[in-house]
Amino acid sequence: MQQVMLALFSCFAVGVAVGVFYFTGLWLTIRRLSTSRLPWLLAISSFLLRLSVLTVTFFMVTNGRLENIFSCLAGFLAVRMVAVSRATRGGIQWI
C-alpha cells in the first residue's frame, strides 16, 4: 500500500513539474511573440517542444498504469488552475 501511495505522489510531483515547465514555456512564448521575426515559427516550435516533453515524460513515468496517469494529470491540472488564476488576476509574476 505504501508503494502505491509513493508512486501516486511521485507521479503527482512529476505532473506538477511538467506543468510548471509547460506553462512557463507558454508564458515566455507569448511574451516573445511580439518581438519575434517569425512569430508563427516560434509559436509552433514552442508548442511542439512543450507537447513532446509532456508526452514523453508522462509516458515514461506512468508505465501505462491508469492510476499513475490520473495522478500525473492531476498535478498538471493543478498547475494549470494556478496559472490561469494568476493570469486572470492581472499579470503573472512567478518568474
Side-chain angles (χ1 to χ4, degrees), residues 4 7-8 11 62 64-73:
V4 172
L8 291 176
C11 287
T62 60
R65 298 184 56 103
L66 195 57
E67 62 271 10
N68 291 349
I69 292 171
F70 284 139
S71 182
C72 266
L73 189 59

Side-chain angles (χ1 to χ4, degrees), residues 21-92:
F21 169 78
Y22 187 91
F23 291 107
T24 302
L26 177 61
W27 181 65
L28 290 172
T29 301
I30 291 171
R31 285 187 55 202
R32 293 182 183 209
L33 280 177
S34 62
T35 60
S36 177
R37 287 180 28 155
L38 298 171
W40 62 270
L41 183 61
L42 176 63
I44 290 174
S45 61
S46 172
F47 171 72
L48 290 176
L49 174 69
R50 289 181 284 117
L51 187 63
S52 298
V53 169
L54 176 92
T55 305
V56 168
T57 304
F58 274 23
F59 179 75
M60 291 181 72
V61 169
T62 60
N63 292 328
R65 298 184 56 103
L66 195 57
E67 62 271 10
N68 291 349
I69 292 171
F70 284 139
S71 182
C72 266
L73 189 59
F76 181 80
L77 291 177
V79 172
R80 180 189 177 273
M81 289 189 322
V82 170
V84 167
S85 70
R86 293 186 78 128
T88 57
R89 270 199 329 230
I92 300 175

